[in-house]
Amino acid sequence: MSDSLSSLIQAVDAADSAYALLKAVQNLAAAKLEGAIPTLVASLSYNNPGAAVAAVEGLIELGEPAVAPLLEQLDGHNYTARAWAIRALAGIGDPRGLVTLLGVATADFSLSVRRAAAKGLGTMKWHWFPENLLEIAQEEALEALIFVARQDEEWVVRYSAIVGLQALAQAIAQTYPDWRSQILAQFEQIAEQDESDAVRARACWAQQQVQNAVPAPKVEDQPSPLSASDWQMILDKLYDRKGQERLVLAEGDPRRYRGLALSLSQNDENL
Amino acid sequence: MANEAELQAGLQGESLTVEQAIVNLQGEDLGLRVYAAWWLGRFRVNAPQAIEILIAALDDEDDRTDAGGYPLRRNAARALGKLGDRRAVPALIHALECSDFYVREAAAQSLEMLQDSACVPRLIELLNNQVPGTLPAPEPPQLEQPFDAILEALGTLGATEAIPHIQPFLNHFVPRTQFAALRAMYQLSPNPEIAAEYGDRLVQALSSQDLQLRRTVLADLGAIGYLAAAKPIAETLAENSLKLISLKGVLETQLVETPLPNLSEGAIQVMHLMDELL
């Protein structure tokens, strides 16, 4: 371990105030060292939103090597840490996060987690998928994003799903022109019907960009680091998912009100 | 925003129906009455019967706190703003005379939402602390009147006659109140350059050391939709959720000036910033 890495990690461990912790995590994240990953992942569970934001940004920057530790974090019981880990996974776009993001975007109770997952579903590193899995993965993402863009009760989550759909439309424009048309038709409808002006505006803009074939932001050209067993696991999870019916609550269902009450209690979440 | 009691009531009362809420609002159980008033506003139940009962609840005498406050009146006043029925305006103007600071605050906020200028003279009197029988806020800094709510209402209602009464508040000792005055002056200044000076003073407040103040300014900038604030909003140190809500306000102001499906340069700039915060 290099001197600078160990002293940066030590500073995180030694932080004795919320502000000191924030500064220490920011410094550690800014160093962009792979050895920092376990400490960055751990700091997602310190209940310090500023530190968590810095850690998420650092982990996204480090990318693929952070994916396995983040997936382990998802198994934990700390909900806040889990939410931050999902945000990091969404930002990295690694295929191993796909099934998690599909579930979260459509059903998580925290709107800021759904929001992050929806954008992440559109900006997966699609070029890392093997061809036989790519079609299934993109179709699942398409279906989930259309569902969220039309049905989520929070404007910002629908907005985010449109951003995701736009990225997806740009990624599949050559390979699946019929999906592209389907996405455009959704934009058209949302632009006319959504109750939020901001969402309608984003749909208009997405429509224009996809129609004018504004190229999607360039992706880095790294080769896929995933192994055959990773792919098998992703595929298994996808099939499991296919087998489950999505729980869609009807208007007036009392559980919806529980969700609303919960979302009120989330007003102070710092995501 | 719901307080803890409301939230708890929310969890117990999740299966409340419109009919039941209306019954509860007229019932004996004071807790259920306060909750029903909040619930009708929260779920935007603007049935005529609900409006009438809520208006009647503004005169409630049964529900008093130890300090003399009127919990049911507060919730009824808040709900009436959300329900968008202008029949509530005279009763809400009358509620501006209530001894309870929080009833006056809720009434001013609701009158702002209902967009009816009939309340402007009374709001100006209240701003100048000229309404007899009103008591200061019970806790520090013990302000005589809910100045923030009054100033914001006057700005939203386009009450240019209030400008000379608002100006002294630009130097008020409470920063939130200064922000509310800046926000109102931005809205009431017909000259865009002068308005921008007030907007820019709000933008400067985004670099305040105090997170709670930065959050307040985010809400103010979103409410006035000041385009030049978009980038500073995106860059300030606060939760992305709050920055997104603030930018939504800026975006929607652009959409008023350039209706969809056309998109102004400004609208696209704001959406770029929002995309990055998701």
Side-chain angles (χ1 to χ4, degrees):
Chain A
M1 196 181 281
S2 74
D3 282 352
S4 76
L5 176 61
S6 59
S7 65
L8 287 167
I9 290 174
Q10 232 164 29
V12 174
D13 292 338
D16 56 1
S17 71
Y19 184 74
L21 179 65
L22 163 66
K23 282 289 151 198
V25 173
Q26 277 178 339
N27 292 337
L28 179 61
K32 299 182 189 173
L33 298 166
E34 274 189 33
I37 290 173
T39 312
L40 290 175
V41 170
S43 56
L44 301 179
S45 52
Y46 294 161
N47 196 21
N48 179 320
V53 168
V56 166
E57 281 170 12
L59 289 164
I60 291 173
E61 186 83 30
L62 289 165
E64 188 276 323
V67 172
L70 282 168
L71 288 170
E72 278 166 38
Q73 177 67 259
L74 289 182
D75 294 332
H77 294 290
N78 180 332
Y79 181 79
T80 312
R82 199 181 127 77
W84 288 114
I86 287 166
R87 293 178 66 80
L89 277 179
I92 295 171
D94 187 280
R96 281 166 288 178
L98 173 71
V99 179
T100 301
L101 295 184
L102 285 169
V104 164
T106 50
D108 198 276
F109 74 79
S110 160
L111 73 95
S112 48
V113 176
R114 298 202 301 281
R115 180 181 89 204
K119 183 183 177 189
L121 274 180
T123 52
M124 300 291 303
K125 290 194 163 73
W126 300 118
H127 59 292
W128 279 5
F129 282 84
E131 216 167 303
N132 58 347
L133 195 54
L134 183 61
E135 178 173 1
I136 306 174
Q138 289 184 328
E139 191 173 14
E140 284 290 307
L142 173 69
E143 215 179 278
L145 284 172
I146 288 178
F147 172 80
V148 176
R150 298 184 60 92
Q151 310 265 343
D152 200 284
E153 61 199 24
E154 297 289 344
W155 72 271
V156 76
V157 181
R158 301 196 300 278
Y159 183 107
S160 199
I162 293 167
V163 174
L165 277 174
Q166 179 188 319
L168 184 61
Q170 287 160 322
I172 53 91
Q174 304 301 320
T175 41
Y176 303 104
D178 49 328
W179 290 354
R180 176 182 172 276
S181 317
Q182 200 185 333
I183 294 172
L184 280 171
Q186 293 296 335
F187 289 158
E188 174 101 40
Q189 270 197 12
I190 294 167
E192 280 167 15
Q193 294 170 3
D194 199 277
E195 64 183 35
S196 157
D197 289 343
V199 171
R200 294 172 53 221
R202 191 60 186 83
C204 278
W205 191 38
Q207 204 181 359
Q208 291 172 13
Q209 290 179 91
V210 172
Q211 272 165 349
N212 301 336
V214 176
K218 207 175 153 290
V219 283
E220 47 185 309
D221 234 354
Q222 280 170 355
S224 166
L226 278 75
S227 66
S229 66
D230 286 329
W231 295 119
Q232 192 54 51
M233 200 169 66
I234 294 170
L235 197 59
D236 288 348
K237 285 197 206 164
L238 271 172
Y239 278 126
D240 277 358
R241 194 186 139 74
K242 272 270 184 217
Q244 289 168 9
E245 250 187 12
R246 205 156 27 227
L247 182 65
V248 182
L249 300 180
E251 202 72 39
D253 186 308
R255 280 170 296 179
R256 281 176 61 90
Y257 294 140
R258 187 183 303 135
L260 282 170
L262 268 171
S263 73
L264 289 171
S265 73
Q266 300 295 311
N267 274 342
D268 271 340
E269 68 182 3
N270 292 301
L271 298 177
Chain B
M1 190 182 299
N3 62 34
E4 206 174 322
E6 283 164 345
L7 205 66
Q8 229 173 15
L11 290 167
Q12 290 159 4
E14 60 192 14
S15 58
L16 202 57
T17 61
V18 174
E19 295 73 24
Q20 191 61 48
I22 291 173
V23 169
N24 287 355
L25 192 52
Q26 303 167 97
E28 294 292 308
D29 185 325
L30 293 176
L32 285 182
R33 286 170 70 180
V34 173
Y35 173 63
W38 171 81
W39 191 92
L40 290 168
R42 176 67 182 83
F43 295 106
R44 302 279 196 279
V45 180
N46 56 357
Q49 204 194 349
I51 306 283
E52 283 158 30
I53 300 169
L54 285 168
I55 289 175
L58 287 176
D59 289 323
D60 173 77
E61 287 291 348
D62 296 339
D63 191 13
R64 303 294 300 268
T65 66
D66 294 340
Y70 291 93
L72 177 58
R73 291 193 194 187
R74 294 173 191 167
N75 274 7
R78 288 179 194 129
L80 284 166
K82 292 181 182 145
L83 300 185
D85 190 324
R86 286 193 183 185
R87 279 183 302 160
V89 168
L92 285 169
I93 293 176
H94 180 63
L96 292 174
E97 297 167 23
C98 183
S99 58
D100 180 355
F101 180 93
Y102 297 107
V103 173
R104 302 197 299 280
E105 182 177 62
Q109 286 164 344
S110 289
L111 286 163
E112 176 182 9
M113 287 189 233
L114 292 178
Q115 295 275 356
D116 189 321
S117 302
C119 60
V120 167
R122 202 57 167 160
L123 284 175
I124 292 175
E125 283 167 7
L126 204 57
L127 189 65
N128 293 324
N129 198 22
Q130 292 163 336
V131 179
T134 58
L135 296 171
E139 76 247 13
Q142 273 147 350
L143 300 171
E144 295 92 342
Q145 300 296 343
F147 294 122
D148 302 3
I150 299 168
L151 292 162
E152 287 169 13
L154 289 169
T156 301
L157 294 169
T160 45
E161 65 269 41
I163 287 177
H165 305 280
I166 293 171
Q167 268 163 339
F169 288 87
L170 292 168
N171 299 310
H172 196 270
F173 70 95
V174 178
R176 294 174 62 102
T177 306
Q178 281 184 30
F179 302 159
L182 286 168
R183 164 178 162 170
M185 290 303 291
Y186 174 91
Q187 289 167 311
L188 297 175
S189 302
N191 178 333
E193 278 173 36
I194 293 174
E197 284 173 24
Y198 295 113
D200 291 338
R201 276 180 63 184
L202 278 174
V203 170
Q204 282 163 26
L206 280 179
S207 0
S208 155
Q209 290 291 307
D210 180 343
L211 172 61
Q212 201 50 49
L213 286 184
R214 295 197 299 273
R215 289 174 174 154
T216 307
V217 181
L218 282 175
D220 287 326
L221 287 167
I224 62 176
Y226 183 42
L227 180 60
K231 203 155 184 286
I233 289 170
E235 286 168 358
T236 194
L237 286 173
E239 299 86 335
N240 282 5
S241 303
L242 295 182
K243 295 193 221 177
L244 283 161
I245 293 170
S246 183
L247 287 170
K248 176 180 187 249
V250 180
L251 172 60
E252 290 182 345
T253 304
Q254 287 294 305
L255 302 179
V256 172
E257 288 161 19
T258 311
L260 293 171
N262 299 309
L263 291 165
S264 65
E265 287 289 315
I268 289 174
Q269 181 206 336
V270 176
M271 287 190 284
H272 267 299
L273 293 167
M274 291 173 75
D275 285 6
E276 290 304 310
L277 294 168
L278 298 170

